[in-house]
Amino acid sequence: MGKVSFLGYLRRGGAAKFDFDSGGASYVVELTKRNPVVSLTKQGAASGHLRVNLHWQMRPSDLHERSGQGRGGLLRHPGKLFKPEIVQAQGPAVVNVDLDLACLYELKDGTKGVVQPLGNFLGDLNAPPFVKLSGDDRFGSGSGETLYINLDHRDEIKRMLLFVYIYDGTPAFDRTHAVVTLYPSSGPRVEVKLDERAPQARSCAIFMLENVKGELTVRREVKYVYGFQAELDRLYGWGLQWGRGYKTNA
C-alpha cells in the first residue's frame, strides 16, 4: 500500500476524506467540533490493537514576521521569495517543544492509573491496563510517539482519556503541527489535530475512548488546560494522587 500523506486531508474541510492508492480505496475520518464521535463497534474495529500516534514538529515562530523577515523583508528583497528559509538552531525564532503522549485509564473493576513517559509508567498490552507506550520522542521526529490499546480486552475497559502535555519548551500547541492519528485494526483511521490557539496551555485532552453498554466509541475532546495531569484529572474526575515527576536521561 502506498504512503498517504495526511497534510492534504487537513487542508480540506469535512469529517471524512478520501484518497486512493494501489491497494484500493482508503480514507480517514477527522474528528471535529461538528463531528466529534466515531463508533469503533459500528466500524467493525473494536478488536485487535488500536495504535495511537502523536506526530509533531518544531516550527519557526511568529517572530520571523516581526524581525523584518516577513512582508517588509520580501518587499525590500524580493529574491528571498525563491530562497529556502533558514531556521537558526538557537534563539527565540524557533519553537523548541517536547510533547508527550499519555493515557488516563479506568477499568471496569475500578482500577485507575496513567500510562506516560514520566515515572516510566509505560503500561502493559496483554495485562491490565491493556495500554502500552512504545517510546518517548523528544525531538518531533517523523515517527513520533506511539501508544497501543488492546481492544481484545474491551470488556474490561471502562474509559481511557488520551492526552498530550508539553514536558519542556514553549507552550505553543498551535505551532507544533501536532496531529494524533488512531489506526484501528480495520476500517478508517481517525485523526484529531491540535492547532487551536491556546496561549500558555501546558496540556490538552485529545479524545476519550469509552465502552458504554458494549459499544466502543471515540469522542473528540481537544480541551486545553494550563496545568498538567492533576488539572486534567480534576476536569474529568479521575481521582488520582499526583506528585512531581521527571524524565530519565536515557
Side-chain angles (χ1 to χ4, degrees):
M1 182 175 290
K3 184 177 179 181
V4 180
S5 170
F6 60 77
L7 293 178
Y9 296 131
L10 301 185
R11 294 191 185 101
R12 300 192 293 269
K17 290 93 175 175
F18 297 86
D19 199 10
F20 297 91
D21 55 28
S22 59
S26 62
Y27 61 103
V28 56
V29 174
E30 179 188 337
L31 297 185
T32 64
K33 291 181 179 179
R34 296 184 62 181
N35 300 281
V37 181
V38 62
S39 171
L40 296 181
T41 301
K42 292 179 180 178
Q43 297 279 0
S47 62
H49 292 168
L50 175 65
R51 178 163 61 98
V52 182
N53 178 260
L54 166 67
H55 174 78
W56 57 276
Q57 59 186 339
M58 292 180 289
R59 278 180 66 180
S61 73
D62 295 335
L63 293 178
H64 278 291
E65 293 289 334
R66 301 170 192 161
S67 64
Q69 298 182 31
R71 295 179 181 177
L74 290 177
L75 289 176
R76 289 191 297 269
H77 306 284
K80 288 185 177 181
L81 182 64
F82 303 100
K83 295 182 180 180
E85 181 180 10
I86 299 175
V87 180
Q88 299 297 326
Q90 297 179 352
V94 171
V95 175
N96 187 6
V97 62
D98 180 10
L99 298 183
D100 278 350
L101 179 65
C103 173
L104 282 167
Y105 62 84
E106 181 178 2
L107 304 182
K108 289 289 185 69
D109 64 3
T111 302
K112 298 179 182 179
V114 66
V115 172
Q116 63 179 16
L118 284 178
N120 203 36
F121 295 114
L122 302 182
D124 194 309
L125 196 58
N126 298 308
F130 311 113
V131 181
K132 178 72 173 180
L133 187 63
S134 69
D136 178 19
D137 172 21
R138 303 191 186 185
F139 304 102
S141 66
S143 60
E145 293 188 12
T146 302
L147 183 146
Y148 296 89
I149 303 174
N150 190 345
L151 297 184
D152 289 336
H153 292 271
R154 60 189 176 279
D155 292 338
E156 300 175 63
I157 297 172
K158 182 178 180 180
R159 61 174 180 160
M160 293 185 174
L161 179 69
L162 276 291
F163 65 97
V164 62
Y165 58 92
I166 298 176
Y167 175 76
D168 190 22
T170 305
F173 276 107
D174 60 317
R175 289 180 297 191
T176 59
H177 281 305
V179 177
V180 176
T181 307
L182 287 69
Y183 297 87
S185 58
S186 63
R189 62 188 189 274
V190 180
E191 289 182 352
V192 180
K193 51 184 178 175
L194 310 180
D195 59 355
E196 297 177 19
R197 293 192 62 83
Q200 304 305 312
R202 305 295 306 190
S203 307
C204 180
I206 306 168
F207 69 86
M208 181 78 76
L209 174 72
E210 288 184 296
N211 187 347
V212 180
K213 297 181 180 180
E215 183 178 5
L216 211 59
T217 60
V218 172
R219 184 181 71 247
R220 177 188 184 273
E221 297 292 329
V222 189
K223 293 181 179 178
Y224 295 91
V225 301
Y226 297 98
F228 291 97
Q229 291 89 330
E231 188 168 343
L232 285 169
D233 184 313
R234 288 191 294 269
L235 184 63
Y236 288 92
W238 237 266
L240 301 177
Q241 298 296 320
W242 298 94
R244 186 179 297 275
Y246 300 92
K247 292 184 183 181
T248 64
N249 293 323

